[in-house]
Amino acid sequence: MAPHDAVLGWDEYATAEAYAAFTREYPMYSATSRDLAHRAGLADSELVVDLCGGAGATARAILDLAPHRVRVISLDSAAAMQRVGRRTLNDPRLSWIAAPAENMSHHVPPADVDAVVCNSAIWKTHTPTVFAAVHRALRPAGRFVFNVGGGFAGVRHPDELTARTRPSLNTLISQIAARDYGCSPAPAVDSSPRLPLETITKQLTAVGMTVLATEVTVQRSTMAEKKAWLSIPVFARPAGDFTHAQRMKILQTAYALTTPDAPTVTSWLVVVAQRPGGTQ
């Protein structure tokens, strides 16, 4: 059975539980959530949308930074993720809506939202539709803040370029799958970035949004954190006819060839956009 990629498979309880456990133990999602929430300028916000909000890591950051009067809508298509999130984030200011990002306009009042924040997910959506929905939802001068993984955006932070080169866990997984299971390497795919800044800018401009700022940021973690991330069923590798147990065995074998506290560096493109009008 082939693993789902990062677009599919989130509405499964095993994935939701593993993802929530990861966010509790490791800082990746909480750190990126705090960064985006800070850039959203929430000091005077009354209504904020956490788009593709998953189990609530970004909603938590928004609630921490926004005024106490704020209302937060966490919208995600995976009901399983929200069920897990509700158990650990029980705040009366937070509403959970199970719906695709593309359908946000069906659930959010028009021109009434102060900010929309989307962490680690926008490239999984049909961005022209989502950008148009965000524009309709935002009040004049409302902000839309999101990030795109460096590989999807085609960007690399200088720290990633100068980082000491070691075989990645993904590379080691592929090598072990070939050695121990006779799994042929995946065929070469188009390496063009899925969502580069040029495309983002064109699509935002087309729906009437203005790009205020962009930045390539860096996130530092360890091989131990990367292993935990690859243990989440939705991210497990390799693809092909493997059970999850087999993938975890391959992952453990690959991980044994690394140093747990060896640093890893990943890049992100962060975009701050705004609906024109009002005051900044």
Side-chain angles (χ1 to χ4, degrees):
M1 178 180 177
H4 296 301
D5 62 15
V7 179
L8 303 173
W10 284 104
D11 199 15
E12 296 176 357
Y13 197 68
T15 286
E17 286 281 19
Y19 169 83
F22 177 88
T23 61
R24 289 192 297 270
E25 186 170 357
Y26 295 97
M28 183 177 83
Y29 287 106
S30 60
T32 50
S33 293
R34 288 193 301 271
D35 175 62
L36 296 181
H38 176 75
R39 293 171 189 261
L42 303 176
D44 297 319
S45 296
E46 297 183 3
L47 178 60
V48 180
V49 174
D50 172 20
L51 192 62
C52 305
T58 303
R60 186 184 299 275
I62 293 167
L63 290 165
D64 287 344
L65 287 175
H68 185 73
R69 67 177 182 274
V70 75
R71 293 182 297 126
V72 178
I73 296 173
S74 186
L75 188 143
D76 195 282
S77 61
M81 293 287 285
Q82 294 193 335
R83 285 198 299 272
V84 171
R86 286 173 185 268
R87 293 207 311 262
T88 57
L89 187 54
N90 183 17
D91 191 305
R93 298 173 295 167
L94 175 61
S95 299
W96 303 82
I97 295 177
E102 292 82 358
N103 293 347
M104 183 176 67
S105 296
H106 301 165
H107 306 280
V108 176
D112 195 36
V113 175
D114 296 289
V116 176
V117 180
C118 183
N119 187 12
S120 308
I122 199 68
W123 65 89
K124 306 168 195 174
T125 71
H126 185 257
T127 48
T129 302
V130 171
F131 290 173
V134 169
H135 178 268
R136 285 193 294 271
L138 286 173
R139 62 166 175 78
R143 286 191 173 187
F144 178 31
V145 184
F146 61 93
N147 54 14
V148 183
F152 296 107
V155 299
R156 297 184 73 187
H157 190 277
D159 288 1
E160 184 181 359
L161 294 171
T162 58
R164 184 177 176 183
T165 302
R166 298 179 179 87
S168 68
L169 265 179
N170 281 334
T171 297
L172 293 171
I173 286 169
S174 296
Q175 293 172 352
I176 291 165
R179 183 193 71 190
D180 295 351
Y181 294 86
C183 179
S184 301
V189 297
D190 184 4
S191 59
S192 301
R194 183 184 300 181
L195 194 59
L197 179 57
E198 180 182 8
T199 298
I200 291 169
T201 301
K202 286 181 178 179
Q203 291 181 359
L204 286 170
T205 301
V207 300
M209 298 282 286
T210 300
V211 175
L212 294 182
T214 65
E215 183 181 358
V216 178
T217 64
V218 67
Q219 186 174 36
R220 295 172 179 84
S221 59
T222 63
M223 282 290 183
E225 183 171 355
K226 182 67 172 179
K227 174 181 179 287
W229 188 75
L230 288 170
S231 299
I232 300 172
V234 76
F235 296 130
R237 296 293 181 265
D241 192 19
F242 292 93
T243 65
H244 185 66
Q246 287 173 323
R247 292 191 179 95
M248 293 302 95
K249 181 178 180 181
I250 293 170
L251 173 60
Q252 186 59 46
T253 303
Y255 181 65
L257 301 175
T258 72
T259 303
D261 60 356
T264 63
V265 179
T266 55
S267 301
W268 291 86
L269 172 65
V270 180
V271 178
V272 180
Q274 185 178 54
R275 176 172 177 170
T279 58
Q280 295 187 17

